[in-house]
Amino acid sequence: EPEVTQTPSHQVTQMGQEVILRCVPISNHLYFYWYRQILGQKVEFLVSFYNNEISEKSEIFDDQFSVERPDGSNFTLKIRSTKLEDSAMYFCASSEASGAFFGQGTRLTVV
Amino acid sequence: SQQGEEDPQALSIQEGENATMNCSYKTSINNLQWYRQNSGRGLVHLILIRSNEREKHSGRLRVTLDTSKKSSSLLITASRAADTASYFCATPSTPFAGGTSYGKLTFGQGTILTVHP
């Protein structure tokens, strides 16, 4: 069964460093998303991406965040100058009319 | 309550029993999705029910949707220890916005289900 894959599964980074989280959405899906879940909190929408551009973004998705689809299969989330409060599980998802399907997540720890 | 709030917050049952979790939401929706999350792991898509459907089954899962009451329920029959997880309902943040109505979602806090062997 097709699935969304994310790499790495864990990432530890120093505060102020840049990180890139990678995702391969389901191949025939057209809509892609990033979400995050801070430990013990709700899953929160960050950004949606369609037709090679951002379609919507939340208040959380400020200038330190960016997304890119560098080729036909990958979808990346870049966080510039990470902060301690960026520590969370980051989920990539892709969707079609049967629903939104999530990857296993990348646990980002900023130290 | 906020969009997509689950009830109860925690549920503890014995293996073989049925587990029922409820979700309430505030605004009109065109679909509602249920997810499972094992501790610290990814979100597993369980089922999507559309606003014109009242009930849907998938294996041991039964989902109902009552749009007049703005509520949904997830029933897991004959539960197993492996069903121990958090269960979330998710509703579209922009229900009638085309493609993103299936992926731009608002999640509830979830129900923590513990199934004892």
Side-chain angles (χ1 to χ4, degrees):
Chain A
E1 187 171 326
E3 60 181 13
V4 176
T5 57
Q6 288 185 244
T7 55
S9 55
H10 293 87
Q11 174 99 41
V12 180
T13 190
Q14 296 271 349
M15 192 169 54
Q17 294 296 304
E18 174 183 286
V19 294
I20 297 176
L21 309 184
R22 302 180 190 279
C23 169
V24 179
I26 295 173
S27 60
N28 62 339
H29 288 185
L30 301 178
Y31 295 86
F32 314 126
Y33 312 83
W34 284 99
Y35 285 78
R36 80 172 184 191
Q37 184 181 33
I38 294 172
L39 188 64
Q41 297 188 22
K42 292 184 181 183
V43 177
E44 302 173 288
F45 167 79
L46 293 178
V47 65
S48 59
F49 193 87
Y50 171 72
N51 201 24
N52 281 319
E53 61 183 21
I54 290 174
S55 53
E56 293 180 80
K57 58 184 180 180
S58 71
E59 292 178 353
I60 303 167
F61 194 88
D62 61 21
D63 291 344
Q64 69 163 147
F65 293 95
S66 62
V67 291
E68 192 177 34
R69 188 155 165 82
D71 54 44
S73 59
N74 291 285
F75 180 50
T76 62
L77 174 69
K78 182 190 290 185
I79 309 174
R80 287 182 280 274
S81 190
T82 49
K83 306 170 191 168
L84 294 176
E85 54 265 36
D86 294 329
S87 294
M89 182 77 97
Y90 288 82
F91 293 108
C92 173
S94 63
S95 74
E96 53 150 23
S98 63
F101 298 86
F102 287 74
Q104 286 294 308
T106 293
R107 183 170 298 283
L108 176 65
T109 303
V110 183
V111 296
Chain B
S1 65
Q2 298 179 25
Q3 189 84 340
E5 288 299 316
E6 295 86 351
D7 168 60
Q9 291 187 326
L11 182 60
S12 182
I13 60 174
Q14 293 296 125
E15 215 168 23
E17 294 180 342
N18 295 342
T20 300
M21 289 158 270
N22 302 295
C23 168
S24 61
Y25 58 92
K26 283 199 158 185
T27 61
S28 295
I29 59 172
N30 61 346
N31 73 87
L32 184 145
Q33 300 179 64
W34 283 92
Y35 291 85
R36 183 184 76 229
Q37 184 180 36
N38 291 82
S39 181
R41 306 289 297 277
L43 293 160
V44 176
H45 186 267
L46 296 177
I47 203 162
L48 178 149
I49 187 165
R50 301 181 196 282
S51 57
N52 61 352
E53 298 174 307
R54 291 295 169 259
E55 189 170 307
K56 203 162 180 181
H57 297 255
S58 177
R60 294 183 295 112
L61 305 181
R62 173 178 163 249
V63 167
T64 63
L65 179 64
D66 187 334
T67 54
S68 66
K69 294 181 179 177
K70 291 187 168 59
S71 67
S72 174
S73 68
L74 170 67
L75 167 67
I76 304 174
T77 60
S79 64
R80 305 166 182 168
D83 295 327
T84 294
S86 293
Y87 291 82
F88 299 90
C89 67
T91 51
S93 305
T94 48
F96 307 105
T100 57
S101 66
Y102 298 102
K104 187 189 173 203
L105 305 174
T106 300
F107 283 80
Q109 196 69 39
T111 292
I112 300 171
L113 173 66
T114 305
V115 182
H116 299 280

